[in-house]
Amino acid sequence: MIDLTKDKNGLWVVTINRPEKANSLTEAMLTELAEIAESAQDARALIFTGAGKVFSAGADLDEARAGLATSPVWERLSCAVAALPGLTIAALNGTLAGGANGMALACDIRIAAPHAKFFYPVMKLGYLPQPSDPARLAALVGPARAKLMLMGGQKLSAEEALTYGLIERIVPAEDVLTVARDIAADTLAAKPEIASGIKQMCL
C-alpha cells in the first residue's frame, strides 16, 4: 500500500496507495514510510503523494482505536522527513487530515490540488497532536492560526491554506505530481553539496 519509485537522477517518489480507504494509514504503512524516509539520505529529492482524490485521511480508524493514534511511529516518520538533506515535497493530490499532517508539515514544500481540505481534529478525538507538529504548523501559519486548526477544529480550503502559508501553491489535481517533479528539477541538477547547503541556510 506504499509504492516507491527511484529515478536514476536521485528523485524518489512515495505514493500512499490505499484509495479505497481514503489512503488512511495503518501502523504497518507508517512504519514502511518511516523506513523509506530513514533510508533516503542519498535521495536528492523526495516527493510524497497519494493515489486517488485524497492524500490521506490520517489514521486507519480501527487501528487508531487500538492505540495507533498515540503511537510514536508518527513522530518517527515526521522527524525522519525533517532530517533529510535532500529537497522534500508534499504533492497533495487531495485532502490532508489528522496525523497525516505530520509528514507534510515536515516537508520543505507543500503543493495541493484545488479540492484539497486541511484539518487536524486531534483534540476532538481526545488526543494530543504529534510532539513536533504544533511547532511546525505555527512556524508556517503563525500561532493563532495553528490554534484555529488544532483547538478550534477548523477545516481549511486550499485557498485558505495558501493564504495562511500552509501550502506554497495550488495546482490542477492532474498536474500535482508533474509540478512537484518540475520544482525538484533544479535541485536534482545541482551539486548535492550545494543543494543541501542551501537547505541548511534556509533553516
Side-chain angles (χ1 to χ4, degrees):
M1 290 181 277
I2 303 297
D3 299 333
L4 171 64
T5 62
K6 301 179 184 180
D7 293 352
K8 292 181 179 179
N9 61 2
L11 174 64
W12 293 24
V13 178
V14 180
T15 304
I16 304 170
N17 192 0
R18 198 189 183 200
E20 71 282 2
K21 294 289 187 178
N23 290 332
S24 59
L25 297 163
T26 64
E27 185 160 16
M29 293 167 69
L30 285 162
T31 299
E32 186 173 355
L33 287 166
E35 289 173 348
I36 289 171
E38 289 164 353
S39 68
Q41 296 300 311
D42 293 330
R44 304 290 308 284
L46 188 150
I47 297 171
F48 290 99
T49 194
K53 296 183 178 181
V54 175
F55 175 75
S56 177
D60 175 272
L61 290 179
D62 290 337
E63 292 202 17
R65 296 186 192 101
L68 182 60
T70 57
S71 170
V73 69
W74 299 96
E75 183 76 359
R76 176 187 171 191
L77 170 58
S78 64
C79 287
V81 173
L84 286 172
L87 180 66
T88 53
I89 302 171
L92 304 170
N93 54 296
T95 291
L96 173 66
N101 278 274
M103 74 180 95
L105 290 170
C107 285
D108 299 310
I109 296 168
R110 288 149 296 279
I111 63 174
H115 67 273
K117 304 294 182 185
F118 302 82
F119 57 106
Y120 199 161
V122 63
M123 186 180 71
K124 183 177 181 180
L125 297 173
Y127 305 111
L128 288 171
Q130 301 158 42
S132 297
D133 287 0
R136 290 191 181 117
L137 180 60
L140 292 171
V141 306
R145 286 169 171 167
K147 293 168 190 171
L148 182 71
M149 292 183 69
L150 293 171
M151 301 182 74
Q154 296 300 294
K155 182 183 294 186
L156 304 184
S157 66
E159 291 80 7
E160 288 173 316
L162 180 64
T163 299
Y164 288 4
L166 181 57
I167 61 175
E168 282 64 60
R169 189 174 293 173
I170 299 173
V171 300
E174 64 273 15
D175 296 334
V176 167
L177 186 54
T178 298
V179 172
R181 287 179 175 272
D182 289 345
I183 292 171
D186 280 3
T187 289
L188 295 170
K191 293 180 179 180
E193 64 272 18
I194 297 297
S196 61
I198 290 173
K199 179 168 177 172
Q200 287 301 309
M201 294 170 74
C202 291
L203 294 177

